[in-house]
Amino acid sequence: MKNQKSKGILIIFAFICLFAVSAYTVFYGLGAQHKGKASHIRLGLDLAGGVSITYQIKDSDVSETEINDTIQKIQQRVEQYSTESNVYKVGANRIQVEIPGETDANKVLEELGKPGSLSFTRDVSGEAVICTGSDIKAAEGNSITDSTTGTREYVVQLEFTDEGTKKFGDATSEMVGQPIYIFYDGAIISAPNVKEAITSGQCQIDGMETLEAANELATYIRIGALPVELEELSSQVVAAQLGSEAVSSSVKAGAIGLGIVCAFMIVIYLWPGFVAALALLGYILLTLLALNGFNVTLTLPGIAGVILGIGMAVDANVIIFTRIREEIRDGKSVKTALNAGFHKALSAIIDGNVTTLIAAVVLYFMGSGTIKGFATTLMLSIILSMVSAIFVTRYLLESFYSLGVQKAGIYGKAKPTKVTRYTKFSPYCMVVSAIIIIIGLVMLPVNKNNRGSILDFDLDFVGGTSITLTLEDNMTLQEAEKVIKPVVVKAAKLDAATVQMQEVKTANQIVVKTVELTVDQRDAVQTALEEDKDIKLATTIESENISATISNEMRRDAVIAVIVAIILMLLYIALRFSDWKFGIAAIIALAHDVMIVFALYSVFHLTVGGTFIACMLTIVGYSINATIIIFDRVRENLRSMSIAKDGLDMIVDTSVSQTFTRSVNTSLTTFAMVLVLYILGANSLHEFALALMTGIVCGAYSSICITAPLWYLFKKGGIKKAEEAAAARAQQKAAAREKALESQAKKSESKANNSNNSSNKPKSSTPKKKGKKKKKR
């Protein structure tokens, strides 16, 4: 007993120390550089503000080395804007450029240069090529002072690679006094004369009229000097103020939501709930440290993933505490109940979290940008929540128990289970769900007819340009139509029918959506809006331009991601429960949840954008938790109850009834977190949070009213078929037995007949010899 107390004290002391160190690290950081401080978590462009540009490689036959060289050269160029700039490969043929802190995407594009092919040729036809862009090492515009005249001149200074030095040296040795034509993307951009042989690998193009002209020519040469030919696919700029507001509001939402969850746990689960609240706070600190340690880029959907993870972290604790209460109700001691509760809950916790993790992994590998950031935080949340519940909560409870916290009353006692016949009314629930899904599908052609599109697709899906104006004073949609729309139409020379306006009242914002604009058009629109006296801007104009190529791929990736996640989860459930009917029922319920949320997007015209994929896969992953818990209880009751005696329907109804409270409590805590995010979070997360709340409600509803009863129908049909097959086999055996008896009877009859025939035949007799009788004396 003394050893257990010492062990308990040691565990609690270790937890307090780790908690204190983690909290200090999160709030203040370690060392002179304050490593681990929460404010040092890397923020995405949507939080820190900046410019994002996506280039696509035009040539399909490009080596990995050439792509890496291209990335390295672009990285060196964009670091002039910010040392936090990042250049990385996306997919097989794209290069992503992210420059935090910048607010003018058009300026960055102009300075980096317009993508295209570059060549130096001997003649105006462009066929006799001396060298190409891959032979150029560097190009810079500069101003110099002529040593003879003292006048200022503007030049472009070039530096060649070793191979380019030889090529250029051989050519210029033969071309003194002749022009070299510089072709960029099929057009001549300069034709300087060769004054002397250039064999040193360095030269300059003089005669530029201004420094701007020199920089422009150098820009064309730099971008053309990349090892691969690129084309601009998309660009995006986000003002830093939006990020600041989003972080502030989302952190506030997280703190309030966390307080609600902790209070709920303590009120409902008493002492274990208090211990779970401590473990939950530790989980939050671990999550923040993990984001720092793994250098995760946190985005707006990523913040949603963290907050959603807080709600999910409660799930495992609820499962455990429910089991502990059931054990105490059944007369077990607190010590035995603690051990049994954790043991019986373990399989359900692992199965539920693994299925959710499958969806997160699919999202990570098949998503990009903010979606990938969301998946990363979701994966971290799942893993850390399991560690928090399985280890931290358990060891704390056991340690406090060893120190005397042993009264059964503070752990709670489950009430006797009142079995509700869910299998009886589930057909009515299925009819209601079918009606909602049908309404959602019917609205697709209606939307097409009334709005021009079956869904309200964002730029991620259909391509185009979006310009967001944050105004000093609120402007109604009608006012925007009169004031802003004409300016955009005139500046970009557009058809008025292609320009749509959207009002964001809570943020004093007007969103202008139109067809994809060129850099010049975007620049013209921005200038016109800034100079118009009737438009008073509060912050920098935000613009986003996404090619339709991205749209097609995002649609394809969304469908593939959902299919892959469903298949993998189906296989996992089928293997874990050794019955494919469990997997089929679960997947049908997941499809139900997705279609209900899809109906929400269809009927209420929610924006279908990048977070749509994250939302759908999160629902797919999260809503299966309650299903797994119920299936785990069904599997357990199949061993303790008899189908022949109790009935399969009673086993299912009992399992759902036993897990009903857990399903509701877990859904409530997660719903509360997302609800606070919806109320206090950034405007850009409102629709995302609304869809998640709908998915959470659908997940609880479908697991209780649809999934388990659906498995019952599948299983009942299988049992009926098995019984029919068994009856058929029995009938066949009976027929065979009867036939055998008939055959045996015939054989016996035949044998009897043969015997009778033998007895009726005359018998031959041999005369007996008479012996002499002995005389008696």
Side-chain angles (χ1 to χ4, degrees), residues 735-746:
R737 190 180 304 110
E738 185 177 352
K739 188 175 181 181
L741 290 174
E742 289 179 357
S743 176
Q744 186 175 358
K746 288 181 180 180

Side-chain angles (χ1 to χ4, degrees), residues 52-54 105-106 109 232-237 459-460 463-467 514-519 521-522 542-548 550:
S52 173
I53 302 171
T54 303
N106 296 338
L109 284 171
E232 179 198 347
L233 198 61
S234 68
S235 62
Q236 179 182 3
V237 58
L459 296 175
D460 294 341
T465 297
S466 173
I467 302 171
T514 184
V515 295
E516 186 174 350
L517 302 180
T518 64
V519 174
Q521 285 177 308
R522 278 177 274 164
E542 303 165 25
S543 64
E544 182 179 4
N545 192 32
I546 299 179
S547 169
I550 290 182

Side-chain angles (χ1 to χ4, degrees), residues 487-516:
V487 176
V488 175
V489 170
K490 182 179 179 180
K493 299 179 181 179
L494 298 170
D495 183 353
T498 63
V499 180
Q500 297 178 351
M501 315 295 291
Q502 182 179 345
E503 180 184 6
V504 185
K505 293 182 179 179
T506 55
N508 288 351
Q509 289 181 338
I510 295 294
V511 179
V512 182
K513 293 185 177 182
T514 184
V515 295
E516 186 174 350

